[in-house]
Amino acid sequence: MIIKISRPFWSYDVQKTEEWLASMAQKGYELIRINRLTRYFYFQQGESNVANYRIVFDKVPNQSLSKGLLNFGWTKVLQSGKWYVTMNKLPLEQIRTFPDREGIVKHNKKIMYIFMGILIYLMVALLNVILISTIAMSVSKVGHFNVFNGPYGFIPATALGLSIILCIFTVYSLITLNKTNQRLTGEFIQPNKQNGQGTSPLKDRLSKNEKKRLKSSGQLVMKWKLGWMYAPDRLEAWLEGMEEKGYNLYSVGKTGTAFYFKKGKPRKMCYCADLQNTADTNYFNIHTDSGWVCLYHSSSWSQKWVLWGQEYVPGEVKPQIYSDKLNQLKLARRIALTYSAMFLPLTILYMYIIGLNVRLSDYADLDRLEIINLILYAILILMFGSYVTRTWLYYNRLRKLHQ
């Protein structure tokens, strides 16, 4: 007997889909086909099996499994387009090699870029509607303006409804895909944690009670460092200075702004805050093999900040991740260009809105709400402008240092 089950968003969370496939195998349902268009999974009734599944995305068609995967019991169940499903009947603890996840992470990021473009378009369109409505209301003789009235009022109403639905779906997709990529990226870093090289240079992790006791006694202190990514060289110098004073970095908060230090002995530590568009297995393996410890990695899907640390003996050459000056300058320029691309368009847009409101004030007085909005826009201009300025000052400092 063949059954089919619909899973419309199966590719959004492949780990959840893999668990579902394993549960279906336990019930005796063997996967035989996937229809990517209709999102249906087809199963054939058979014997109950205990199996582990891994879903893979690969651009190369008809890619066969490597010898390493075959030796560890992996078999290809089926392939549908660039997606294929692998299975392993060995117990999970006996499996040492798993199919690569990088294809799925890159594929998800491409989809997220598309959704981000749609979301930006919707937000800009909504902003334009608000501006046009504001202008129409200000020039209306009756003091109000309603685009939903009239024989064709259903058109803007329908467009607004579809836009809201699309906006909700876009936000849902971005959040779900981002969470999936975080979990899949965690699989990259997991081997380092198992080797004791996870998120802290200290080998012994503190329990919650021990943390509370150390905090109350002043042995564990927390300090905020907001906006350090706009001047990463300042953060590195600050952390190294804290280490020389005997404040050893213990951990970094999830948002990357809270730094926890444990009072200990002064030591020589070298820190490096690195920005990556993507951070895969090779990136972490290369640096950990060179003696660096990953202390923090951001969860952003579009760009990943990674904080590395390495202790060295006083008098020895200070270790560096990027010893080449050209690479350091390239990284600094990339940081400046990235944040300029993010914040300059918003800064210009807010300046345009303020200019437009000032011109409208010649025809009608601004009310209290409009004045508050103008003040908020001015604060945002100063804030975003400072971000862009700090990144270019960082690039300029590094350029002068290498001259």
Side-chain angles (χ1 to χ4, degrees), residues 341-375:
M342 289 173 63
F343 296 119
L344 264 184
L346 291 173
T347 306
I348 294 171
L349 177 64
Y350 293 149
M351 291 173 71
Y352 169 75
I353 293 174
I354 287 180
L356 184 65
N357 277 273
V358 170
R359 269 182 284 175
L360 287 175
S361 66
D362 294 337
Y363 304 97
D365 293 335
L366 299 176
D367 59 25
R368 184 177 297 177
L369 182 60
E370 289 171 329
I371 293 173
I372 292 174
N373 283 337
L374 288 179
I375 293 172

Side-chain angles (χ1 to χ4, degrees), residues 66-136:
S66 66
K67 286 186 178 178
L69 291 174
L70 292 172
N71 290 337
F72 275 98
W74 289 101
T75 57
K76 183 189 283 190
V77 178
L78 57 84
Q79 182 162 0
S80 179
K82 296 174 182 176
W83 293 90
Y84 60 92
V85 180
T86 63
M87 181 182 69
N88 196 322
K89 293 185 178 180
L90 289 174
L92 194 60
E93 58 273 13
Q94 293 183 15
I95 305 173
R96 293 290 178 269
T97 303
F98 293 86
D100 199 356
R101 298 291 205 178
E102 292 179 31
I104 297 178
V105 172
K106 290 179 180 177
H107 174 69
N108 285 349
K109 282 189 175 181
K110 286 181 181 176
I111 297 176
M112 290 165 72
Y113 280 120
I114 294 172
F115 278 124
M116 183 57 73
I118 293 173
L119 188 61
I120 291 172
Y121 171 79
L122 289 173
M123 297 304 292
V124 171
L126 180 63
L127 189 62
N128 283 332
V129 169
I130 293 173
L131 283 173
I132 292 171
S133 299
T134 304
I135 295 170

Side-chain angles (χ1 to χ4, degrees), residues 263-283:
K263 277 192 176 179
K265 295 179 180 178
R267 60 180 181 176
K268 284 288 187 182
M269 285 286 295
C270 177
Y271 288 98
C272 178
D274 190 20
L275 177 64
Q276 293 288 314
N277 290 329
T278 180
D280 55 17
T281 312
N282 290 331
Y283 171 77

